Amino acid sequence: VVETNYWSRSGEIDIVFWDKNYLIFAEVKSSGNHGDYYLGLRVDLKKQKRIIATALDYMSKRNPTVSGYRFDVILVQRITSGKPKIEHIKSAFMVEEDENYD
């Protein structure tokens, strides 16, 4: 883990970490015992664009040497008893070349 709760004017990235030479920007979503919807739905297109804009800000300010980067989503569903259910979605979304993230 390189950084947690990175803030810019565009938004926040929960966790920035390395996976070999790839820099990973991860959004973490957690909830109580809600079996009626999928937590991943909370990372909608608007949220994805904010995360991407924040990641671009991070890279321009920190200037890390990377082979590449990706955007992951980590879902933590707390349950009444026992350990929480954790789902790590690698490459959950990507940067679209023709999009404006400002």
Side-chain angles (χ1 to χ4, degrees):
V1 172
V2 177
E3 196 156 347
T4 58
N5 303 101
Y6 175 80
W7 283 91
S8 79
R9 66 182 179 97
S10 301
E12 177 193 16
I13 295 176
D14 295 323
I15 304 172
V16 181
F17 65 95
W18 288 101
D19 183 5
K20 299 183 180 143
N21 290 331
Y22 282 81
L23 194 58
I24 313 306
F25 299 98
E27 174 70 6
V28 178
K29 290 293 181 193
S30 64
S31 184
N33 190 12
H34 298 288
D36 56 342
Y37 71 93
Y38 181 64
L39 277 175
L41 294 175
R42 292 175 47 197
V43 186
D44 60 10
L45 185 58
K46 183 178 178 181
K47 180 68 173 174
Q48 292 173 23
K49 287 183 176 186
R50 285 197 313 259
I51 292 168
I52 291 167
T54 306
L56 294 173
D57 177 80
Y58 178 92
M59 302 228 310
S60 71
K61 289 181 178 170
R62 301 290 198 270
N63 198 23
T65 302
V66 299
S67 296
Y69 57 92
R70 73 174 194 246
F71 299 95
D72 290 4
V73 174
I74 300 170
L75 307 174
V76 181
Q77 187 163 9
R78 293 185 177 91
I79 55 177
T80 309
S81 61
K83 294 182 180 181
K85 178 182 174 189
I86 299 173
E87 182 179 358
H88 183 176
I89 304 167
K90 296 180 180 181
S91 300
F93 55 93
M94 298 185 298
V95 174
E96 296 291 332
E97 295 296 325
D98 58 346
E99 284 288 330
N100 181 7
Y101 296 101
D102 293 335

